[in-house]
Amino acid sequence: MGSVGLLYVGAVLFVNGLMLLGVIPGKSAAILNFFVGTMQVVFPTIIILQANGDLSVIFGAAGLYLFGFTYLYVGVLQMTGISGEGLGWFSVFVAACAVVIGVLQFTLVGDPVFGVIWFVWAVLWFMFFLLLGLNKTSLTKMTGWFTVFISHLTGTIPAFFLLLGRYETNNGYAALVAAVAAFALAAAYVLGRKSMRSSTQPGQVTSVTRPA
């Protein structure tokens, strides 16, 4: 179930990135957020209920709630127009948890690839905190591009490997994922700055607004 959920994490992150870039209207993106958010709450609940007290299984499922609540929150905000400060501060909590889970993936689970993936998610959710919690709207495009880039790196691709039974983890693969993520962050920064420059004309002051 976790692998199936991870596949759709890739999908919803891709859609949310496009929403931040202004390609998809917020209310249109909200529908998928409700679908995936519900899945990411129901699936881990089922996994935990069937875990028979196995702490390793419970640990693996517990982190999924962080994403489920995020996507449900996004869906509600986009449908109601409520401001996103609450989601922003929840995002910094998610980022902190992601760092802890990432460390545990290295030290306790022995899965360096997902250790890196959790660190990448920590960076992304911290960007959500800056954007929504601290109202750093200048980061809107950069965050959108980074979300699009890492949606497949951290969701779609590893999900397919897991579903096909071909997933492998070692330090070499972890380093590769880290390098690709770092390149994605740099590319997102460049594209975000380019978008900001192109949207600002000499002698004019413009502001970046959140998708409705």
Side-chain angles (χ1 to χ4, degrees):
M1 288 185 189
S3 302
V4 174
L6 185 62
L7 179 65
Y8 289 97
V9 165
V12 75
L13 285 177
F14 179 68
V15 167
N16 286 346
L18 294 177
M19 178 183 67
L20 289 170
L21 292 173
V23 176
I24 297 176
K27 289 185 178 180
S28 180
I31 298 171
L32 185 60
N33 277 274
F34 281 127
F35 288 156
V36 178
T38 301
M39 176 189 295
Q40 293 295 89
V41 170
V42 172
F43 277 14
T45 300
I46 294 173
I47 292 171
I48 290 172
L49 289 175
Q50 296 177 343
N52 294 320
D54 187 330
L55 292 179
S56 63
V57 174
I58 294 172
F59 169 74
L64 299 179
Y65 288 110
L66 298 171
F67 301 110
F69 293 148
T70 296
Y71 304 137
L72 289 174
Y73 210 145
V74 170
V76 170
L77 293 184
Q78 295 304 321
M79 295 300 291
T80 62
I82 298 172
S83 62
E85 289 84 358
L87 176 58
W89 283 96
F90 175 67
S91 295
V92 78
F93 170 79
V94 174
C97 289
V99 170
V100 173
I101 295 173
V103 171
L104 293 175
Q105 290 290 329
F106 278 100
T107 59
L108 182 64
V109 181
D111 188 345
V113 169
F114 264 93
V116 171
I117 287 175
W118 276 100
F119 288 154
V120 175
W121 285 334
V123 172
L124 179 61
W125 259 255
F126 187 73
M127 291 174 72
F128 292 154
F129 162 66
L130 295 176
L131 176 61
L132 298 171
L134 300 185
N135 200 32
K136 301 291 186 181
T137 53
S138 60
L139 297 175
T140 301
K141 299 298 183 181
M142 178 183 175
T143 304
W145 281 115
F146 188 58
T147 306
V148 168
F149 292 152
I150 65 96
S151 63
H152 303 304
L153 176 67
T154 64
T156 311
I157 295 173
F160 272 118
F161 277 111
L162 286 165
L163 290 168
L164 293 172
R166 302 293 298 273
Y167 175 76
E168 296 180 19
T169 184
N170 56 52
N171 291 332
Y173 287 141
L176 177 61
V177 173
V180 174
F183 178 80
L185 184 61
Y189 173 79
V190 172
L191 291 170
R193 295 288 294 177
K194 182 178 180 181
S195 297
M196 287 293 295
R197 286 197 299 267
S198 64
S199 64
T200 304
Q201 300 297 326
Q204 294 181 332
V205 177
T206 61
S207 61
V208 179
T209 59
R210 299 173 194 163

